[in-house]
Amino acid sequence: MAGLSDLELRRELQALGFQPGPITDTTRDVYRNKLRRLRGEARLRDEERLREEAWARGEERLREEARLREEAPLRARPAAASLRAEPWLSQPSSGSACTTSGAHGDLGASPASWVGMKLLPVDCEEKTDEFCQAKQKAALLELLHELYNFLAIQAGNFECGNPEKLKSKCIPVTEAQEYIANVTSSSSAKFEAALTWILSSNKDVGIWLKGEDQSELVTTVDKVVCLESARPRMGVGCRLSRALLTAVTNVLIFFWCLAFLWGLLILLRYRWRKLEEEEQAMYEMVKKIIDVVQDHYVDWEQDMERYPYVGILHVRDTLIPPQSRRRMKRVWDRAVEFLASNESRIQTESHRVAGEDMLVWRWTKPSSFSDSER
């Protein structure tokens, strides 16, 4: 069957009374399974027809024997000879397990009891015996298998470009039920029984039942809105393209991360260099401030300056030109803070100059002699 072309597969299905839809890579296996099932059903119908024909021949044979017995009443016949039957009557049917009430009698009984006896197909809808339970379980598993294949193919199509224009991987329950009824000829009751089994089973069957709110867990069949496959079935080409896309995406993510880290490293190095330059500029500014304050103090000792102190803002305006004061503000503030905490020769004081309070620096002259020289 695997060697059938799409045209031959379509003709075979049409010959068996089934009109298939488009045969594609995703539906070819489904239609092959359908053809296999239809051939099996046709084979069973042929066997039943042959049994009915054989039964008709057997009845005619019995009537002929009865007529011969009426014509020759004086002829003695063994009892066993009058009740011989064809070999096919002694063999039970492989496809039937239930018959009419006449079939429960002894095969050696009167031939009149066989008249009207017909072999019936197995009907296990309301039976609880072991054979019927096994048949019902097999039918349920077959329905679940078809449902799993259908949902897996639909989910795979959705993942691989969505050629059927599906709105979601979650297939509406009515659509899934129609498909199963078309493929397996199962009733809606059997479909609901299959959904109930999925809900009550603790096994992972690869089918998710979802309701209106897909984040909530569905507990009853009447709340099921759609069905989704947990394992989408994709073709080889789709898998290769997705794997290639995933690999390319991972490579791009890796290079983006590498570029980000490299840019971050460059930014940190630039920041460190700027901090070093700022610190070096601060030390140079401290040195200039010390020189200005010390020179002012020397000029005051030589009566060249009126006050022994100098305003802090006056020193800033002397050292930093107006166009650079905004850019050098941070350097100046750090230098002032450094002098206040680390330079003992310069004292920060507050004096009233020209009617306004102003912070000033005063140079503190060190002692002429140290304790060791005394």
Side-chain angles (χ1 to χ4, degrees):
M1 188 176 296
L4 293 177
S5 63
D6 293 345
L7 181 59
E8 294 173 346
L9 180 58
R10 179 180 295 276
R11 290 176 177 175
E12 290 283 345
L13 290 171
Q14 291 175 347
L16 293 173
F18 179 78
Q19 293 296 331
I23 300 178
T24 62
D25 293 339
T26 57
T27 61
R28 187 175 294 109
D29 292 337
V30 176
Y31 287 127
R32 286 175 179 172
N33 294 333
K34 182 65 177 179
L35 177 60
R36 188 179 297 107
R37 189 177 299 104
L38 292 175
R39 285 180 176 178
E41 294 175 357
R43 191 182 303 109
L44 291 177
R45 288 196 297 268
D46 292 340
E47 292 177 356
E48 185 176 358
R49 180 177 55 80
L50 292 176
R51 285 196 300 271
E52 291 179 354
E53 292 176 357
W55 177 256
R57 289 195 299 270
E59 286 184 345
E60 179 132 6
R61 179 77 173 261
L62 290 174
R63 285 195 295 269
E64 181 68 19
E65 290 181 357
R67 186 181 63 79
L68 291 176
R69 284 198 304 272
E70 291 175 358
E71 292 178 355
L74 300 178
R75 182 180 300 176
R77 296 182 180 180
S82 65
L83 297 177
R84 67 178 180 270
E86 294 294 334
W88 58 270
L89 289 176
S90 62
Q91 298 179 357
S93 173
S94 60
S96 302
C98 303
T99 62
T100 59
S101 59
H104 295 287
D106 188 5
L107 289 178
S110 173
S113 64
W114 298 347
V115 178
M117 181 181 70
K118 293 184 180 296
L119 298 176
L120 300 178
V122 176
D123 185 7
C124 292
E125 291 291 339
E126 300 179 356
K127 301 293 182 63
T128 58
D129 57 278
E130 184 178 353
F131 175 79
C132 288
Q133 290 293 329
K135 295 290 289 183
Q136 290 179 0
K137 183 178 180 180
L140 178 64
L141 292 178
E142 182 182 3
L143 190 150
L144 289 173
H145 178 70
E146 292 293 342
L147 181 61
Y148 173 85
N149 288 336
F150 172 70
L151 296 176
I153 291 174
Q154 294 297 89
N157 290 340
F158 185 84
E159 295 287 346
C160 297
N162 194 14
E164 299 182 6
K165 306 301 180 182
L166 299 175
K167 295 181 179 179
S168 171
K169 292 190 295 183
C170 198
I171 306 301
V173 65
T174 55
E175 183 177 342
Q177 184 176 353
E178 290 176 0
Y179 174 82
I180 294 300
N182 185 28
V183 174
T184 64
S185 301
S186 300
S187 62
S188 59
K190 291 183 178 180
F191 183 79
E192 293 180 359
L195 298 186
T196 304
W197 184 87
I198 294 175
L199 290 175
S200 60
S201 176
N202 295 326
K203 299 179 180 179
D204 181 14
V205 297
I207 300 175
W208 292 335
L209 306 183
K210 298 184 177 181
E212 290 289 346
D213 188 359
Q214 297 189 3
S215 61
E216 296 182 358
L217 184 64
V218 178
T219 56
T220 57
V221 176
D222 57 344
K223 294 183 179 179
V224 178
V225 175
C226 60
L227 295 84
E228 182 178 342
S229 174
R231 305 177 185 92
R233 183 178 299 172
M234 296 174 284
V236 178
C238 178
R239 291 182 181 274
L240 289 177
S241 61
R242 286 173 62 87
L244 180 61
L245 180 61
T246 303
V248 172
T249 304
N250 292 335
V251 171
L252 290 178
I253 291 175
F254 171 76
F255 279 110
W256 274 111
C257 293
L258 188 62
F260 174 77
L261 294 177
W262 183 257
L264 183 61
L265 179 60
I266 293 176
L267 181 62
L268 290 176
R269 292 182 62 182
Y270 173 78
R271 179 62 179 171
W272 293 333
R273 186 172 66 252
K274 295 296 290 184
L275 290 176
E276 291 177 357
E277 293 176 355
E278 182 179 318
E279 187 172 4
Q280 185 66 29
M282 184 267 294
Y283 287 129
E284 293 179 358
M285 183 63 66
V286 168
K287 184 178 179 181
K288 292 179 181 179
I289 292 173
I290 293 174
D291 292 339
V292 170
V293 175
Q294 187 177 11
D295 291 342
H296 182 83
Y297 182 78
V298 172
D299 291 342
W300 175 76
E301 285 185 332
Q302 297 177 0
D303 295 329
M304 297 176 60
E305 291 290 344
R306 184 177 180 182
Y307 302 105
Y309 49 80
V310 60
I312 294 178
L313 297 179
H314 179 72
V315 176
R316 182 200 66 183
D317 296 342
T318 303
L319 297 177
I320 303 176
Q323 65 272 16
S324 301
R325 288 172 188 171
R326 177 176 296 180
R327 179 174 57 84
M328 298 292 291
K329 182 179 184 304
R330 180 176 174 82
V331 176
W332 172 260
D333 292 339
R334 290 189 61 185
V336 171
E337 182 180 356
F338 181 85
L339 289 172
S341 59
N342 297 283
E343 184 57 61
S344 62
R345 295 173 298 177
I346 295 179
Q347 292 183 356
T348 303
E349 300 175 353
S350 178
H351 289 274
R352 182 172 291 274
V353 179
E356 294 182 3
D357 291 335
M358 180 182 297
L359 291 176
V360 298
W361 277 323
R362 180 195 294 270
W363 179 261
T364 302
K365 187 176 181 180
S367 176
S368 302
F369 303 96
S370 62
D371 295 339
S372 60
E373 294 177 342
R374 292 178 184 177

